[in-house]
Amino acid sequence: MTERRQYERLSIPLPVRLNAMDTGRKEILDLEARDISYSGTFIPTLTSFPKGTRFILDFTIPSDNLKEFKDIESLKGCSGRMVRSDHHGIAIQFDKECQIECLKSV
């Protein structure tokens, strides 16, 4: 199977508060992102959303020892949209201003 990912992913768990913006109802979920890259993240969840749903993501960096995130001041208020979902969770593509530059070459 051919690898389609443009950027490497870090498979470290990161707590994230996910705020669905355009579902017609206020939906905030406290979850754990399992994969994160320069351009997006995959978040396991049993909750489904329509493709294209916009989100605000507030990540919590649990330790200063995570060298991959040492140059990031904050991962609060990142925005993005859901690009795919399956029975394991949802994939969110970050908006351009939320892309994590230090992960571009990981």
Side-chain angles (χ1 to χ4, degrees):
M1 185 172 186
T2 305
E3 178 62 51
R4 299 181 333 202
R5 292 180 177 153
Q6 184 175 0
Y7 304 106
E8 289 290 321
R9 291 196 172 263
L10 294 176
S11 294
I12 55 174
L14 282 181
V16 61
R17 176 163 282 176
L18 194 64
N19 185 352
M21 300 303 295
D22 49 5
T23 61
R25 62 190 190 273
K26 185 163 179 93
E27 233 175 309
I28 298 175
L29 302 169
D30 288 315
L31 301 167
E32 191 171 80
R34 292 289 179 175
D35 293 311
I36 190 165
S37 76
Y38 163 74
S39 62
T41 188
F42 183 80
I43 302 172
T45 181
L46 297 176
T47 305
S48 64
F49 298 92
K51 186 174 181 178
T53 298
R54 304 237 359 111
F55 293 96
I56 301 294
L57 301 94
D58 291 322
F59 290 93
T60 301
I61 307 299
S63 170
D64 291 336
N65 297 331
L66 295 175
K67 64 179 169 78
E68 293 86 356
F69 298 103
K70 67 178 170 35
D71 297 327
I72 298 174
E73 290 179 24
S74 176
L75 286 174
K76 305 262 185 229
C78 293
S79 59
R81 67 180 176 85
M82 190 183 80
V83 291
R84 103 183 133 73
S85 67
D86 61 28
H87 63 282
H88 296 290
I90 59 176
I92 297 175
Q93 181 178 29
F94 298 142
D95 291 341
K96 186 173 174 80
E97 65 275 4
C98 290
Q99 293 176 341
I100 305 170
E101 193 66 34
C102 68
L103 293 181
K104 192 170 188 177
S105 61
V106 169

